[in-house]
Amino acid sequence: MNSQGVVMGESQDPKLPEDMVVDMYQTMTLLNTMDKILYESQRQGRISFYLTNFGEEGTHIGSAAALNPKDLIFGQYREAGVLMWRGFTLDEFMDQCYSNESDVAHGRQMPVHYGSKDLHFVTISSTIATQIPQASGAAYAYKRAQNGLCVVCYFGEGAASEGDAHAAFNFAATLDCPVIFICRNNGYAISTPTQEQYRGDGIASRAPGYGMPCIRVDGNDIFAMYNVTKAAREICLSQSRPILIEAMTYRIGHHSTPHDSRSYRSVDEVNQWDKVENPILRLKKYMIAQDWWSEEKDKDWMKENRRRVIEAFQAAGKKKKPNPELMFGDVYDTLTKNLQQQMQYMKEHVEKYKENYPIDRFNSWKK
């Protein structure tokens, strides 16, 4: 599908039903709106950190829609759309970013480090590339279990420069693990242009050296992402082997809230990708051409999705922080003696110097 929303070749149109395509579009735009609200909230000091998905929504939704909902996902930190497609709610996103009492991680993770056992999405780790060898190991376990599922691992082209990537690719290939490696090549890693990251032909060209099949795809073409992921999953399971997908996309936003991308790229370059090659605009044009969407529907939907995001945002901000006792749990089945002593010391310390702690913002503990 080109920048005008036209599928270039009948065989490349997956012929997805209208309701599914509309759902894909609405999920991408809902994610986009959530990103705008939470990015601004960090600037206002409401949350400590944020990282947007601007420009890469097509890689998320196109691939997620082609997977079995029970396939295990290992993400990096810019795959919120995959989790949203699987049913992670706006309330759950907001609760995690606010680290409030409803956060399933009890406030132990920094914002955007989502995870959901129910949705088969492994919790995000900050450290770059650690999820890649973990995905190979999980895929080997799935192979032994013969459960008919695969593992999918997302990472950026910057992470592919880490030694973890080499180890993961080699293990997956030699052990014939059913894992799909999806590299989001967004052009800049954290702040380094691709021409300064490597001299080879991107990331896909590395796969043959490991004996892995691979494909490079336009990551801003949501149908192309759907097609290659669906085909990769079929090969992955039928032949029990890993596959590498390199999705060529573009990070429109800054790497994260502490960064300023103007130091290494021009505003004109960003605007070109945002206004012309944007995956959301491509799909919108396709739907209008199919008479499935209109500017009027789009206007109404954008108002509605903003209302939903603001509503969840405001609700999360009113909730208290988790009970501090929770920081000691979820490691041992029963708290060890030394952890019990540490917890008691913490409680006594906070009680003694409570004028220095905003304890009214936290769920209280039993004295």
Side-chain angles (χ1 to χ4, degrees), residues 1-303:
M1 182 165 58
N2 63 20
S3 59
Q4 298 306 309
V6 177
V7 178
M8 307 298 286
E10 188 71 17
S11 63
Q12 300 304 308
D13 190 339
K15 303 294 183 182
L16 299 177
E18 176 182 348
D19 59 342
M20 183 175 180
V21 175
V22 171
D23 192 13
M24 294 167 87
Y25 177 76
Q26 291 184 330
T27 303
M28 285 200 292
T29 48
L30 185 63
L31 173 64
N32 192 266
T33 300
M34 183 182 79
D35 276 346
K36 292 174 182 175
I37 298 298
L38 286 175
Y39 183 86
E40 290 303 318
S41 74
Q42 191 280 333
R43 290 298 189 236
Q44 297 165 5
R46 295 170 183 259
I47 61 176
S48 60
F49 174 85
Y50 197 68
L51 187 151
T52 65
N53 303 274
F54 299 143
E56 301 185 46
E57 299 91 348
T59 64
H60 302 185
I61 309 306
S63 58
L67 299 172
N68 184 310
K70 293 185 178 180
D71 289 335
L72 186 63
I73 302 292
F74 283 82
Q76 187 159 313
Y77 42 55
R78 210 182 300 276
E79 290 88 20
V82 177
L83 197 49
M84 184 176 281
W85 178 260
R86 288 195 167 190
F88 206 66
T89 66
L90 285 173
D91 287 330
E92 290 174 310
F93 279 113
M94 298 296 177
D95 289 339
Q96 196 283 327
C97 287
Y98 265 99
S99 297
N100 63 31
E101 60 187 327
S102 298
D103 173 20
V104 294
H106 303 309
R108 300 188 186 111
Q109 282 274 24
M110 63 190 292
V112 308
H113 288 53
Y114 312 113
S116 174
K117 185 176 181 179
D118 292 339
L119 299 177
H120 309 281
F121 192 101
V122 179
T123 303
I124 301 300
S125 298
S126 293
T127 312
I128 299 297
T130 54
Q131 80 278 13
I132 311 178
Q134 293 167 5
S136 295
Y140 183 59
Y142 273 30
K143 173 187 175 181
R144 290 172 60 87
Q146 297 184 355
N147 57 14
L149 300 171
C150 70
V151 175
V152 183
C153 181
Y154 293 86
F155 56 95
E157 88 286 350
S161 295
E162 295 283 350
D164 296 86
H166 161 72
F169 296 161
N170 199 48
F171 270 115
T174 57
L175 296 174
D176 296 318
C177 300
V179 54
I180 303 172
F181 296 110
I182 300 180
C183 175
R184 297 176 293 92
N185 191 333
N186 64 24
Y188 288 97
I190 292 179
S191 59
T192 307
T194 52
Q195 62 266 28
E196 296 177 22
Q197 292 184 49
Y198 50 74
R199 285 291 180 267
D201 183 15
I203 309 304
S205 65
R206 304 177 191 181
Y210 295 100
M212 277 196 294
C214 64
I215 186 169
R216 178 177 289 148
V217 63
D218 180 355
N220 287 6
D221 178 349
I222 194 169
F223 291 159
M225 280 301 304
Y226 177 88
N227 289 338
V228 299
T229 305
K230 181 180 179 181
R233 188 177 188 277
E234 292 172 355
I235 295 172
C236 191
L237 291 175
S238 63
Q239 300 180 23
S240 186
R241 62 187 309 193
I243 295 181
L244 173 63
I245 297 172
E246 182 178 17
M248 308 305 291
T249 183
Y250 189 85
R251 170 168 55 77
I252 291 174
H254 306 299
H255 173 70
S256 62
T257 44
H259 298 86
D260 186 350
S261 65
R262 290 173 296 183
S263 63
Y264 54 84
R265 61 183 183 178
S266 70
V267 174
D268 289 341
E269 176 185 311
V270 175
N271 287 337
Q272 169 68 18
W273 284 91
D274 189 24
K275 306 302 182 184
V276 179
E277 300 297 340
N278 192 301
I280 293 176
L281 294 180
R282 286 196 199 184
L283 187 58
K284 177 183 174 181
K285 292 175 181 178
Y286 173 86
M287 292 193 303
I288 290 176
Q290 301 297 316
D291 201 26
W292 295 347
W293 202 248
S294 66
E295 291 295 346
E296 184 177 357
K297 285 184 178 180
D298 198 66
K299 185 178 180 180
D300 291 341
W301 164 244
M302 295 306 291
K303 287 182 179 179

Side-chain angles (χ1 to χ4, degrees), residues 325-355:
E325 289 180 323
L326 293 171
M327 75 173 79
F328 298 95
D330 293 340
V331 176
Y332 299 99
D333 182 48
T334 303
L335 281 185
T336 59
K337 185 176 181 179
N338 67 313
L339 286 177
Q340 292 177 24
Q341 292 172 342
Q342 290 176 30
M343 182 192 296
Q344 186 59 34
Y345 175 80
M346 180 271 293
K347 293 164 72 172
E348 292 172 355
H349 174 84
V350 172
E351 184 63 29
K352 184 176 181 179
Y353 302 102
K354 56 186 176 184
E355 68 276 7

